Amino acid sequence: MADLHAMRREFAEIFGGSPALFRAPGRVNLIGEHTDYNAGWVMPAAIPFDTTVAIAPRADAMLRVRSTNFAETVEAPLPDARAPPKSGQMVHWADYVLGVAFALRRHGIALPGVDMLIHGEVPLGSGLSSSAALEVSVALAWTTLAAGSPPGRLTLAKLCQSAENDYVGMRCGIMDQFASACGVVGHALLLDCRSLEHHTVPLAATSERSPAPQIVICNTMVRHRLAGGEFNRRRRECEDGVRALTRRLSGIRTLRDVSPVLLREHEHLLDPVLLRRCRHVVTENDRVVAAAAALRSGDLATVGGLMGESHRSLRDDYEVSCDELDLMVRLAENLDGVYGARMTGGGFGGCTVNLVEADAVPRFEELIAERYAQATGHRPEIYVCAAADGAAALDP
Ligand code: GLA
């Protein structure tokens, strides 16, 4: 949690005046990777790492925004609601802020010019959605200032997704922004990315024999730099797969409509790469639904087994893992008290998510850090995370 007094003081020094404060968290995904933009299922949770925004209105239509992380201030006019996407260009942190302004204005929200101070504590480039935390905190702050009350949480998430899709040029799904906006303390969120219907799944003890599992996140310290281009390419491959399958299967709109059995019956329609991509998505969808049911009934061994299958599918079929993520998962799977481990987020670096027996956590942290450092020369960061609440205004 950011030091709110320090933020107020810094805001007053840079811009003058006293700001309103808002926060939004990053997320970890327990299972359901690369399924959101295929209208499938995901099961993320918000994590107790926030981006905090201090904001106050200005009399003109300018944005003045300072990031404490980059020690940089950017001044820009509010973007036109018809601004073109940035795809193909280098993305700057302020583009996420401008992207939110773009999406909100396009949605018809009359935004005032603002001064903003942003402080992010979600580890950057680690697959824990620092960009969604930035977008959602900025959107909540700005819409509250503009209209007195923000739009509904789901609308907020959709607007932030469109900021990223249509302004930043990253064709992400809804999962990250949804988890950041709608997180519920102590719960994972099972989201149907087609209907946007969602249910909370408690991460609590279900009986004396199955106490609450702990979510432990292991950061490989490899930044997922390749992710942008490769991400958009995977998304295209899924669309190509659907196009090829519709030659015989007229009723399908997305891979959500294809079961593993149906895919097997029609695999001759796909080249080997597209077949692997599609196989990951359709099997992953089944794993999410099965994992949510198992988590509800306290069957953590089954949840863990599904997490392991998910990792192998991402590694071999979707090809978005990397040596360091594979190593971190292998190390975890050999430790006591681990139900399951897998890469989390877009891939190509970043973090693994581990479901670990509460009593086994201290030993797990110690051993995995030691063994990973021995093998790679890099000390990993380990975060033991309880699922957190989504975005909120902070008390004055
Ligand atoms: C990134 C995207 C999400 C999702 C994941 C992969 O985090 O922003 O929308 O596609 O990758 O599951």
Side-chain angles (χ1 to χ4, degrees), residues 27 29 31-38 41-42 127-129 131-132 135 161 164-165 170-177 224 227 231 235 280 284 314 318 320 342-347:
R27 65 96 189 92
N29 189 17
I31 195 160
E33 221 64 84
H34 292 279
T35 44
D36 59 354
Y37 53 84
N38 288 298
W41 280 273
V42 294
L128 299 177
S129 293
S131 50
E135 291 153 2
Q161 182 198 8
E164 195 147 337
N165 290 170
M170 158 87 171
R171 299 183 63 208
C172 64
I174 186 81
M175 170 171 71
D176 304 348
Q177 293 79 7
H224 64 161
F231 185 94
R235 186 159 177 170
H280 164 70
E284 184 80 348
L314 288 157
Y318 218 61
V320 291
R342 56 181 287 278
M343 55 157 275
T344 188

Side-chain angles (χ1 to χ4, degrees), residues 1 25 38 44 46 57-58 123 134 141 165 205 218 223 225 228 231 255 272 277 335 393:
M1 174 75 148
N38 288 298
R58 293 170 56 87
L134 173 57
N165 290 170
C218 299
R223 292 189 68 153
R225 236 168 286 140
F231 185 94
L255 290 176
R277 304 299 187 249
L335 291 174

Side-chain angles (χ1 to χ4, degrees), residues 27-28 30 43-47 178-179 182-190 199-204 213 215 295-296 385-390:
R27 65 96 189 92
V28 65
L30 294 182
M43 193 162 60
I47 54 174
F178 168 79
C182 304
V184 177
V185 70
H187 292 74
L189 310 164
L190 175 65
H199 301 279
T200 52
V201 184
L203 287 160
I215 299 172
L295 194 55
R296 277 213 176 88
C385 284
D389 272 328

